[in-house]
Amino acid sequence: MAEIEIDGGPADPARLAALGLLNYGHFTTLRAESGRARGLALHLDRLVRDCRTVFGAELDPAEVRARIRRVLPADGAPVIVRVTVFDPALGLERPAAPATPHLLVTTRPAPAAAPGPLRVRTTAYRRELPEVKHVGLFGLLHQRRLAQLDGYDDALLLDGAGRLAEGATWNLALHDGRALVWPDTDAALPGVTAALLARAHPGPQRREALAPDGLDRFVAAVAVNAGAGVRPIAAIDGTSFDPAHPAVAELRAAYEGVPGDEI
């Protein structure tokens, strides 16, 4: 059963309406199971860091943990938790007013099975303030919609130099048969799942500026985020990859071997 709370209490319509109308804030999403979540410290660090950037305010990570604990299922069932930081008192006219951040915490059931491979197309689009996981998702969802209308599953964004950056809501990693390769760009969100996978991967890895052509030198590609973990990519534009390549299984195993932190 889904849960939704603001500051540990019922989510009243007035404050929800303020978030919906202004759409100014930031968030993080994590997968929790049996009271634990991978990369919890990184998620908390992100919220604290982004709160300073978005609101010029401090956020208490201990309070965030307490709010997350309140909405977790008593039976430890896996859920996707989203923590959104916003200020319902801010308005369109004075977003620079001193802010008092509030916490909107929601849950939804985690997928029962691993999602299937993605077919993605590249598109020239740079997310606003890409270093922050902010609530401005219109552009990303619009690009996803356009890709789906064109027969793909999702969009893979290109930075201003035409290099691979990030997916609509995920980070990209490729494998050339020897090393794990991450896009070298300043136009991608520094994802928590990507950071955990980079730490856990036992083999060589590097960052590289990647153009959308010439990807046939890679044997595997994956999309990574907290909700899906490591998800194979079957194609980028006209370049196909084997979703069942051993490199994909190795990356998934490395990530799933990361122990969860107690919430």
Side-chain angles (χ1 to χ4, degrees), residues 43-184:
H43 284 287
L44 296 175
D45 288 346
R46 163 190 280 165
L47 290 173
V48 170
R49 180 178 64 249
D50 288 356
C51 193
R52 292 170 182 158
T53 300
V54 174
F55 293 111
E58 294 299 318
L59 191 67
D60 181 4
E63 180 185 0
V64 177
R65 293 180 71 165
R67 299 299 180 226
I68 295 174
R69 282 196 298 269
R70 276 185 53 89
V71 300
L72 295 180
D75 62 1
V79 291
I80 304 299
V81 181
R82 171 167 162 162
V83 180
T84 303
V85 182
F86 74 111
D87 184 353
L90 288 182
L92 291 171
E93 297 81 10
R94 290 288 297 168
T100 302
H102 294 258
L103 298 174
L104 169 67
V105 184
T106 65
T107 68
R108 66 180 190 272
L118 287 168
R119 294 180 63 256
V120 305
R121 75 165 189 184
T122 57
T123 184
Y125 181 83
R126 180 186 174 102
R127 191 166 51 87
E128 292 179 321
L129 205 64
E131 66 272 20
V132 170
K133 194 174 180 71
H134 55 74
V135 299
L137 299 178
F138 175 84
L140 298 174
L141 296 182
H142 185 59
Q143 293 303 325
R144 176 175 284 170
R145 170 181 164 80
L146 293 178
Q148 291 176 353
L149 291 174
D150 201 27
Y152 294 84
D153 298 308
D154 210 342
L156 174 56
L157 310 182
L158 305 177
D159 65 15
R163 301 168 301 193
L164 302 183
E166 62 180 349
T169 55
W170 41 268
N171 287 113
L172 171 70
L174 300 106
H175 204 288
D176 64 5
R178 298 177 302 277
L180 184 62
V181 181
W182 303 92
D184 187 12

